[in-house]
Amino acid sequence: AQSVTQLGSHVSVSEGALVLLRCNYSSSVPPYLFWYVQYPNQGLQLLLKYTTGATLVKGINGFEAEFKKSETSFHLTKPSAHMSDAAEYFCAVSRASGNTPLVFGKGTRLSVIA
Amino acid sequence: EAQVTQNPRYLITVTGKKLTVTCSQNMNHEYMSWYRQDPGLGLRQIYYSMNVEVTDKGDVPEGYKVSRKEKRNFPLILESPSPNQTSLYFCASSLGRAGNTEAFFGQGTRLTVV
């Protein structure tokens, strides 16, 4: 079975500071990994995904994540936080084969302080 | 515009009164699913469908029903709602295998059962 652990249900950063949201996964087979963002009163939208190939993945709004198999991690980073980045972020995992649903982490709420 | 449309956005109902939340997508996606989002628990899958007339249980199916008579529609039915089904519900669709394709989410339906 697959699972996702997001460390920290709430992260606060100052505007302009580095954003680091942590995600560790468990999967017995090669995983596909995703980060989704949820802005207030909206649905989720895809930030970035790792399927195969380059382990450093760039997404929208300046975010990126690196797949580290040895650490079973897929942490999300952004060099400089902006007020508009305040949202809830979800890491998700899916199997690389078969029709399998996404398994989501519990989410991390990012606050950006002016 | 590609989108997943849920209705209603907000619903307050009483215990035991049957209700349906509709979901429609205009992207000709095969795969559709329903999630509920609860504080501290993230998103949990209720049901999913890989194609017309093909549905299967997710992680938390008790108390819910779904149907997939047409490719574009995937309604969620609560035959006898109870207060523990008070939650934020999301419908999602993706082109094919959920493992390697982006999931598109609706705006959410906030359900309160009193």
Side-chain angles (χ1 to χ4, degrees), chain A residues 79-90:
Chain A
S80 177
H82 192 272
M83 298 297 289
S84 61
D85 295 327
E88 187 144 20
Y89 293 80
F90 292 93

Side-chain angles (χ1 to χ4, degrees), chain B residues 3-16:
Chain B
Q3 60 185 5
V4 178
T5 304
Q6 294 178 230
N7 279 296
R9 291 289 309 277
Y10 301 92
L11 179 59
I12 301 175
T13 190
V14 297
T15 299

Side-chain angles (χ1 to χ4, degrees), chain B residues 16-97:
Chain B
K17 185 177 181 181
K18 180 180 178 179
L19 67 91
T20 299
V21 183
T22 64
C23 174
S24 181
Q25 50 94 3
N26 63 359
M27 295 167 279
N28 201 36
H29 285 170
E30 291 181 350
Y31 190 99
M32 297 185 74
S33 57
W34 277 102
Y35 293 86
R36 60 178 289 173
Q37 182 180 12
D38 301 290
L41 297 178
L43 279 84
R44 295 177 292 168
Q45 192 180 58
I46 303 170
Y47 268 94
Y48 65 95
S49 169
M50 290 187 284
N51 215 326
V52 175
E53 302 293 359
V54 180
T55 63
D56 209 346
K57 296 177 180 179
D59 296 321
V60 288
E62 293 77 21
Y64 304 95
K65 287 175 57 176
V66 293
S67 69
R68 188 90 183 273
K69 293 184 171 59
E70 305 165 283
K71 199 171 188 178
R72 63 183 294 125
N73 296 323
F74 190 45
L76 179 69
I77 303 155
L78 284 72
E79 294 271 3
S80 182
S82 62
N84 65 11
Q85 293 177 297
T86 293
S87 187
L88 179 58
Y89 291 86
F90 287 101
C91 180
S93 75
S94 58
L95 182 61
R97 291 167 49 171

